[in-house]
């Protein structure tokens, strides 16, 4: 088919492919393989990648395993996380993006054989069964309900929600366990669907098109754009959306959840480029700029956010000089003026001072910028943590497993960091003898 295609062609192909992948998923779930689509050497993500690469050899294919970030601009297929073993009730998602973002979205329920598919400006349609002609199925629209009280609201498992959020929502709406999720909202069978996340980008990309074309709205729970939000999802029929956002805000119940992504081989080069660009942006007061944190360690699972460290001689002077350039690059200053002092240290906490800025949702990748004094213990710790893991790749999988389990069990980012800090302290206790034995020092390449 080649890379040049119309949106209608992309939509029709995506519907047919999602249905085929759904049959494989359902057959594997039932452990029968009777339809001839299941079995064989290919997993569902591999099957999708193979089919997309064959049909569109000049279009990138992302996702299916690990986290995908928004962008880069240009044509690409994005595969949502496929249902795993025993999870065939979850949706299978597929999206096509152009330079403006998602243009085609398909959400398919393998066990039910139901598909909603949409193209930008082409409407949203439902198909049931084979779905070979799903792109031309009957059009669907969200409900017209305008009263929040009693609205039929689906969830993806409120047992894991913060108590304040669960209480606030339960008192206002008719809260029911999710069946069809976004499919039911798009077809008007439900009024809203809430997920505290993390919902991976591949799924969010598909549902962003589906919901918009069905006449609804989708954001994160805080009302931010769903593609660049915190991984939570609020899908509504449209008229109810602001009411849901206000309900969550009034409850004070939503805090972004930690998201740990599979390692991306491109993180290393991207982090170096970001650090070089940061030093150029900030000028001579930035004595050194480094890519630090988990994304700087090859093979390490990490939150899909780049940590950069800029070393300066004077924090107050740097803060005054950096505010303007950083604001122009999309960064916002945060009131984090000191790092955690490792357990057992008797240092004056003032030695661990820093300045901190962050960027979310562009331009460019999400970044945490840590500005620390050159020669300070917190500047040294960040570099030692990175370099010790780089020198000991055999330890990376164990630390990555710890982070994944922690992110799964701890629902808030702040609590996630509080639990992780003492483990970092233990890593440094092991790394210090290595540094002494090898002559390691900060800034060593």
């Amino acid at each position: 088919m080649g890379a040049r295609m119309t949106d209608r062609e992309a939509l029709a192909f995506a519907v047919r492919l999602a249905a085929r992948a759904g049959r494989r998923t359902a057959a594997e779930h039932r452990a029968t393989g009777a339809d001839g689509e299941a079995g064989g050497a290919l997993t569902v993500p591999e099957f999708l990648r193979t089919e997309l690469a064959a049909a569109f050899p000049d279009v990138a294919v992302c996702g299916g395993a690990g986290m995908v970030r928004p962008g880069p601009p240009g044509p690409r297929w994005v595969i949502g996380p496929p249902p795993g073993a025993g999870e065939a009730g979850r949706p299978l998602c597929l999206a096509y993006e152009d330079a403006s973002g998602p243009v085609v979205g398909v959400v398919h329920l393998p066990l039910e054989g139901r598909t909603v598919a949409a193209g930008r400006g082409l409407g949203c349609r439902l198909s049931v069964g084979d779905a070979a002609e799903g792109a031309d199925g009957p059009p669907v629209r969200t409900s017209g309900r305008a009263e929040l009280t009693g609205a039929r609201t689906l969830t993806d498992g409120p047992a894991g929600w913060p108590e304040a959020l669960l209480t606030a929502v339960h008192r206002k709406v008719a809260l029911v366990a999710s069946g069809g999720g976004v499919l039911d909202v798009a077809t008007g069978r439900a009024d809203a669907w809430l997920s505290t996340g993390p919902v991976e980008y591949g799924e969010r990309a598909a549902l962003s098109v589906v919901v918009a074309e069905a006449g609804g709205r989708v954001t994160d729970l805080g009302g931010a754009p769903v593609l660049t939000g915190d991984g939570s999802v609020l899908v509504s029929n449209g008229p109810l959306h602001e009411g849901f956002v206000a309900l969550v805000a009034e409850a004070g119940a939503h805090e972004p959840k930690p998201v740990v992504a599979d390692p991306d081989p491109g993180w290393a080069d991207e982090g170096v480029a970001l650090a070089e660009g940061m030093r150029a942006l900030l000028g001579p007061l930035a004595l050194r700029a480094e890519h630090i944190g988990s994304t700087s360690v090859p093979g390490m699972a990490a939150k899909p956010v780049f940590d950069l460290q800029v070393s300066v001689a004077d924090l107050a002077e740097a803060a005054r000089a950096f505010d303007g350039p950083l604001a122009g690059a999309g960064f916002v200053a945060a009131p984090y003026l000191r790092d955690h002092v490792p357990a057992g240290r008797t240092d004056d906490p003032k030695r661990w001072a820093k300045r901190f800025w962050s960027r979310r949702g562009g331009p460019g990748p999400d970044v945490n910028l840590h500005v620390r004094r050159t020669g300070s213990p917190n500047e040294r710790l960040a570099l030692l943590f990175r370099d010790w893991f780089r020198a000991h790749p055999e330890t990376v999988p164990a630390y990555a497993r710890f982070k994944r389990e922690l992110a799964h069990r701890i629902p808030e980012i702040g609590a996630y960091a509080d639990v992780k800090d003492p483990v970092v302290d233990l890593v440094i206790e092991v790394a210090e003898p290595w540094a002494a034995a090898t002559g390691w020092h900060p800034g060593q390449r």
Side-chain angles (χ1 to χ4, degrees):
M1 188 176 294
R4 295 186 179 276
M5 58 183 164
T6 67
D7 293 348
R8 288 187 183 277
E9 289 172 336
L11 177 60
F13 181 88
V15 169
R16 291 192 296 269
L17 181 60
R20 291 176 62 201
R23 288 197 295 272
R24 295 174 67 95
T25 301
E28 289 169 3
H29 174 76
R30 299 180 180 113
T32 63
D35 64 0
E37 294 280 342
L42 293 181
T43 65
V44 170
E46 291 169 342
F47 166 74
L48 289 169
R49 285 178 172 275
T50 298
E51 294 294 314
L52 288 168
F56 308 100
D58 299 323
V59 179
V61 181
C62 307
M67 183 67 70
V68 182
R69 295 198 311 277
R76 68 173 183 171
W77 288 98
V78 182
I79 304 169
E87 297 181 319
R90 287 182 50 218
L92 188 153
C93 300
L94 187 61
Y96 177 72
E97 297 184 329
D98 63 13
S100 299
V103 65
V104 162
V106 175
V107 181
H108 173 73
L109 288 179
L111 291 186
E112 298 182 20
R114 282 200 297 152
T115 306
V116 285
R120 193 164 59 204
L122 300 177
C124 181
R125 296 178 181 273
L126 170 71
S127 62
V128 180
D130 191 302
E133 304 301 326
D136 298 317
V140 293
R141 296 288 293 178
T142 57
S143 76
R145 186 185 183 93
E147 174 57 47
L148 186 63
T149 301
R152 180 175 170 80
T153 304
L154 308 178
T155 77
D156 64 347
W161 285 15
E163 184 177 353
L165 178 60
L166 180 59
T167 300
V169 174
H170 183 68
R171 286 176 175 172
K172 192 72 173 179
V173 304
L175 197 62
V176 295
S178 181
V182 70
L183 281 89
D184 284 350
V185 179
T187 57
R189 297 174 62 180
D191 303 307
W193 176 65
L194 277 67
S195 173
T196 57
V199 177
E200 294 196 22
Y201 179 82
E203 186 173 346
R204 287 181 278 148
L207 65 86
S208 69
V209 186
V210 166
V211 174
E213 292 297 318
R217 284 189 62 190
V218 56
T219 65
D220 70 10
L221 288 181
V226 71
L227 296 180
T228 54
D230 61 22
S232 64
V233 172
L234 166 59
V235 172
S236 81
N237 66 344
L240 297 176
H241 205 86
E242 293 303 326
F244 272 106
V245 172
L247 181 63
V248 173
E250 288 167 8
H254 176 61
E255 183 178 347
K257 295 184 71 172
V259 177
V260 176
D262 287 344
D264 185 333
W267 281 345
D269 289 341
E270 192 169 1
V272 169
L274 286 168
E276 292 174 350
M278 187 59 63
R279 186 170 185 186
L281 174 69
L282 299 180
L285 290 182
L287 303 178
R288 192 166 70 241
E290 300 266 6
H291 178 204
I292 60 169
S294 292
T295 57
S296 70
V297 178
M300 178 70 80
K303 297 191 301 295
V305 179
F306 289 89
D307 284 278
L308 304 180
Q309 177 171 272
V310 168
S311 301
V312 301
D314 184 282
L315 284 175
E317 179 187 19
R320 288 191 297 270
F322 293 172
D323 258 332
L326 288 173
F331 285 82
V332 176
Y336 302 128
L337 303 180
R338 191 171 296 144
D339 282 312
H340 159 79
V341 179
R345 298 276 184 110
T346 59
D347 297 16
D348 183 341
K350 292 180 181 178
R351 297 188 63 212
W352 293 75
K354 74 171 182 180
R355 297 295 185 270
F356 181 84
W357 288 260
S358 66
R359 179 176 68 191
R360 297 293 186 271
D366 290 352
V367 173
N368 291 330
L369 175 64
H370 310 262
V371 177
R372 298 175 172 125
R373 283 193 299 261
T374 187
S376 64
N378 45 345
E379 179 211 38
R380 181 181 187 277
L381 184 148
L383 298 172
L384 177 57
F385 177 89
R386 178 196 69 186
D387 292 352
W388 184 82
F389 272 114
R390 286 179 173 178
H392 298 83
E394 71 280 5
T395 66
V396 169
Y399 186 69
R401 284 195 300 273
F402 157 72
K403 293 203 303 177
R404 287 189 184 281
E405 185 65 19
L406 182 61
H408 176 71
R409 293 177 179 273
I410 301 296
E412 291 87 24
I413 286 179
Y416 172 87
D418 289 342
V419 175
K420 186 163 69 73
D421 280 344
V423 178
V424 173
D425 296 349
L426 292 174
V427 172
I428 295 302
E429 285 296 312
V430 175
E432 288 290 5
W434 168 80
T438 61
W440 176 92
H441 57 86
Q444 177 177 309
R445 297 287 184 174

